[in-house]
Structure formats: structure tokens, C-alpha cells
Amino acid sequence: MLKGRHLIDPMDFTKDEIQEIFDLAKEIMEAPEKYHRLCEGKLLAALFYEPSTRTRFSFEAAMLRLGGRVIGFSEPNSSSVSKGESIADTIRTIGCYADIAVMRHPKEGAPRVASMHSEIPVINAGDGGHQHPTQTLTDLLTILMAKGSLSNHRIGLCGDLKFGRTVHSLVKALSRYPNNKFILISPKELRAPDYVIKESLEKNNIEYLEVEEIENVIEELDILYMTRVQKERFFNEEDYIRLKDRFILDGNKLRNSKKDIIVLHPLPRVNEIAYEIDKDPRAYYFKQAKYGMYARMALIAKLLGVA
Ligand code: CP
């Protein structure tokens, strides 16, 4: 039963519950007109304390396409947050007006704090360099649509694995499906945090490899998940400049990959995928952005208990 629940961490839902969301997302994709009044009379609050394009707009589009309405802010200084109001008081107040809340925050754990004080479902839309569970729903749905299964894949994750919250959530979620192998491709300074390696991979006896070059491993991958270097999480601009163009996927590098590899990216992209790749049928990142809206439509409907 998903009605009334929060989504803060990718493991908050069982595999069966995630499948339930995907089944509904697929139904909505096939016949969207059947669902356009599903959330009539419901209100979603979008509380974005950090910039966003895909997550915010896809949540807003999702609610509007379900016949609901949206309130919120994308600039926290326009709310009483700028006067020092706490997360707890903000969410208690929002719960007086809205039926469901989506929160992005630069501080790790902020959406969890909100959920602990909330009368309405709270969805984590990204907390600092920690987790991004609805990007994970997006990524899993994309893999399912492209490959037909979430198991038996060789998955390369490339770029900023230290600060890239989408990677942390995706590894956690995919580690629950059998026979996946992870190839973690990053410079030493941007390696995946120990808690991801230990808790998600080693504890579950999952095969993984850490490498610093993409060329040596690209031919064995079924899925390549590129990420940008997260400029906003660096303390030192010199380090960012030194590392930002470390990996650039271009036609030359992709030439050695499998014919049916899929290239994913949570976006935004900076330089890490050359524009020439966009027209390659294996480039899935804009389809991925679209699947994100359907995944969020299904999630909203399930948490509100209207489907
Ligand atoms: N993928 C993602 O979270 O994009 P935004 O930062 O634009 O929401």
C-alpha cells in the first residue's frame, strides 16, 4: 500500500511496490487520456531550495497532466525560509494547503526531516550529494523499457561518483536485482563514497570494479550511465577545472561498445557527452527525461491513493 507514504530513499519501497509504479507508468504512457482527471482537486507543493529543470518541471507537468494543480517556489528567498523558518515549520504549514510535497534541498537529510514532521507525503527530489530516488525511478523505468529487465546487466557509471547523488541511488536500487555487475569509472578524487561501495555492493556480494579509464571497459557494457562533475559541491574551483572534462564520451569512444548499449545521463550535461552522440539510437538520455515524467505521474497517483 503506497497511499500516504513518503519517498526519501530508493529502498523505502519494495521491489514489488516499484513494479506497481512502473505498471501504472506504462498504462499512463499507453493511454494518457484515461488519466487526465485522476488528480482533480489535488494540490502538489514543489519546494525547490536548489535549481532544477527536469525534476521540477517533470513533477509539475506530471501533476498538471493528471488534472491536479501545483503551488511552490523555485527560489527559497521568496518564501519565509529567508526569515529563518525551519524545515519542520515550513512542511507543517505546507501540509495545511497541499496534498503532497516534493522537496529538493542542498542539505543531505533535509527531506527526511521534513517527512518526520509532515502530515502529507513528502518526496525527496534530491538532497545534497546524497540521494535522488525519483531520478532512480526514472532510470529504472528507462532501463526496463529499453532492455526489458533490471537484471543481468553490466553497468558502467562514469564521472563524478563522489558527489553524484543519482549514482548513489541507482547503485543502491539496482543492487537488489540479480546478476548485475557495476563498473565504476572515475578519477581517484571522485570515487564513489565508501558507504555506497560497502553498504550497497560488498555487503550484498555484488561484483564491481573501479577503473580510471572508460576506453578499457566500454566494450563489455550493456548500460553506460554518464554524469557531470558536480561543480556546486566542490570547495575549490581549481579542482573542478582540473577534473571537469576528464571524461568526454564521443563517437570514437562509443565505436568499441556493444551495438545495443544504452547511454543514460540524468542531465544536465555540461561537456561529458559530445553532441554528435545525440543522434545515435543508443543515446537514451532525452527519452530518459520523458520517462521521468511518467514515473512521477504514477508515483503521485500511488502516494495520493487515487490509482
Ligand atoms: N536529473 C536532474 O535531477 O535534473 P535537474 O537538476 O534539472 O532536476
Side-chain angles (χ1 to χ4, degrees):
M1 180 74 161
L2 288 164
K3 184 180 177 185
R5 302 256 296 273
H6 306 295
L7 175 58
I8 305 300
D9 184 279
M11 305 300 257
D12 284 348
F13 297 166
T14 64
K15 282 164 67 178
D16 285 347
E17 287 166 340
I18 288 173
Q19 190 56 50
E20 205 184 308
I21 291 168
F22 292 158
D23 289 343
L24 179 59
K26 285 187 206 168
E27 284 174 28
I28 297 172
M29 267 186 250
E30 280 161 21
E33 68 286 350
K34 282 208 303 209
Y35 297 89
H36 71 215
R37 299 182 75 169
L38 195 65
C39 288
E40 220 166 43
K42 302 287 186 191
L43 206 51
L44 176 139
L47 315 175
F48 278 73
Y49 294 77
E50 251 195 354
S52 167
T53 298
R54 276 141 294 273
T55 312
R56 183 164 76 87
F57 285 104
S58 66
F59 263 115
E60 293 192 7
M63 191 55 166
L64 294 171
R65 284 172 183 269
L66 290 170
R69 294 179 186 217
V70 179
I71 54 172
F73 55 75
S74 56
E75 172 42 73
N77 288 332
S78 67
S79 74
S80 284
V81 170
S82 64
K83 301 172 200 163
E85 187 169 46
S86 68
I87 295 274
D89 285 359
T90 300
I91 199 71
R92 272 197 202 118
T93 308
I94 295 295
C96 300
Y97 312 136
D99 302 290
I100 187 164
V102 178
M103 178 181 284
R104 170 169 290 189
H105 203 286
K107 286 206 181 115
E108 302 185 357
R112 181 169 303 285
V113 172
S115 71
M116 289 158 60
H117 297 275
S118 180
E119 299 278 316
I120 59 172
V122 174
I123 300 170
N124 177 4
D127 59 328
H130 191 215
Q131 301 290 337
H132 194 344
T134 67
Q135 181 65 45
T136 301
L137 289 179
T138 299
D139 300 340
L140 296 183
L141 180 61
T142 307
I143 294 169
L144 202 53
M145 297 302 286
K147 297 278 187 191
S149 161
L150 296 173
S151 311
N152 305 313
H153 298 308
R154 300 290 167 266
I155 305 142
L157 299 129
C158 178
D160 184 349
L161 310 188
K162 179 177 180 183
F163 296 118
R165 58 194 173 196
T166 66
V167 168
H168 307 161
S169 291
L170 184 59
V171 170
K172 212 172 190 185
L174 276 174
S175 66
R176 295 205 282 192
Y177 296 86
N179 197 31
N180 286 321
K181 177 181 173 182
F182 296 86
I183 295 103
L184 307 173
I185 310 157
S186 73
K188 277 199 180 64
E189 296 97 321
L190 298 179
R191 284 182 61 220
D194 274 355
Y195 81 87
V196 173
I197 306 256
K198 289 201 167 79
E199 293 296 312
S200 298
L201 299 176
E202 291 180 352
K203 204 163 131 187
N204 299 310
N205 288 323
I206 292 166
E207 211 179 329
Y208 75 95
L209 192 66
E210 289 186 282
V211 298
E212 290 186 44
E213 301 301 334
I214 194 168
E215 287 86 345
N216 305 337
V217 292
I218 197 163
E219 62 190 41
E220 72 168 284
L221 302 179
D222 303 307
I223 297 163
L224 174 57
Y225 193 93
M226 297 295 295
T227 62
R228 101 190 138 89
V229 175
Q230 306 269 309
K231 181 179 184 186
E232 64 275 30
R233 316 259 179 246
F234 274 74
F235 293 113
N236 176 339
E237 192 166 357
E238 269 173 35
D239 286 345
Y240 170 70
I241 290 168
R242 183 168 52 81
L243 293 166
K244 73 183 173 70
D245 292 330
R246 180 72 174 69
F247 298 105
I248 299 177
L249 182 70
D250 56 16
N252 208 25
K253 290 200 184 84
L254 202 57
R255 192 165 300 134
N256 293 329
S257 64
K258 290 185 181 173
K259 296 280 170 282
D260 63 348
I261 189 175
I262 57 169
V263 179
L264 305 182
H265 192 312
L267 304 177
R269 139 176 73 181
V270 184
N271 281 330
E272 55 284 348
I273 300 181
Y275 282 87
E276 65 179 358
I277 302 288
D278 294 2
K279 54 184 182 304
D280 191 304
R282 297 170 292 181
Y284 259 70
Y285 27 94
F286 287 107
K287 282 185 204 160
Q288 187 183 356
K290 191 161 186 176
Y291 286 135
M293 181 182 72
Y294 292 114
R296 288 170 177 122
M297 286 172 87
L299 175 67
I300 292 168
K302 288 290 176 186
L303 298 189
L304 287 176
V306 293

